[in-house]
Amino acid sequence: MYCERCKRLTEGEICPECGKKCHRDALPEDPCFLLSGGQIWVDMACELLDQEKIPYLKQGSLGAAMTALTGFSLELYSLFVPFAQYDRAKEITQAVFPEGEAGEEEELCDDDPDIERESEDD
């Protein structure tokens, strides 16, 4: 099912994001949520989509005025792709963003042995 409000695909009739009832299946042209994250990570995903010639919509959560005031480091972007190309877009971005969330560098690199972390005992 497709949530027209959140632009998310759902397994059931209720959207897990907003709690609203989903009334229809997605149409090929419907924009579907792919992933979200900071500018650097989302831009990397955009490059992957560009290479595959998959159209997308990159939408910021703060808006242009607030982003200009606070800077890009606080902005969170969401990527949407047409339903007809959703499966392919998900496949190529999952290599970089396994859970559909392009979070901050620390979150994505927790398992990297080359990154030294301070222990809580220090």
Side-chain angles (χ1 to χ4, degrees):
M1 299 297 287
Y2 178 72
C3 179
E4 292 178 333
R5 182 176 186 196
C6 299
K7 314 262 185 277
R8 291 180 185 255
L9 299 173
T10 67
E11 295 281 329
E13 291 185 11
I14 304 297
C15 176
E17 186 70 21
C18 70
K20 299 288 182 185
K21 187 171 182 173
C22 301
H23 296 284
R24 66 177 178 88
D25 291 329
L27 301 173
E29 65 275 6
D30 282 334
C32 296
F33 174 81
L34 181 64
L35 57 84
S36 65
Q39 180 180 7
I40 293 171
W41 298 107
V42 171
D43 284 349
M44 286 172 40
C46 290
E47 285 184 36
L48 293 172
L49 296 173
D50 285 339
Q51 290 172 5
E52 295 291 320
K53 297 182 175 38
I54 297 175
Y56 58 85
L57 169 66
K58 177 181 167 184
Q59 186 175 32
S61 62
L62 295 177
M66 193 63 155
T67 301
L69 183 64
T70 63
F72 291 101
S73 64
L74 298 178
E75 181 65 283
L76 181 68
Y77 293 96
S78 294
L79 276 183
F80 300 88
V81 296
F83 176 67
Q85 295 174 306
Y86 175 80
D87 288 337
R88 179 68 182 134
K90 188 172 181 178
E91 179 184 313
I92 65 171
T93 57
Q94 275 189 333
V96 180
F97 313 113
E99 297 299 321
E101 297 293 327
E104 297 301 320
E105 183 173 348
E106 292 81 20
E107 294 173 5
L108 291 179
C109 298
D110 281 345
D111 296 330
D112 189 338
D114 295 331
I115 296 177
E116 292 183 25
R117 307 240 188 267
E118 292 183 25
S119 68
E120 291 181 15
D121 297 335
D122 290 344

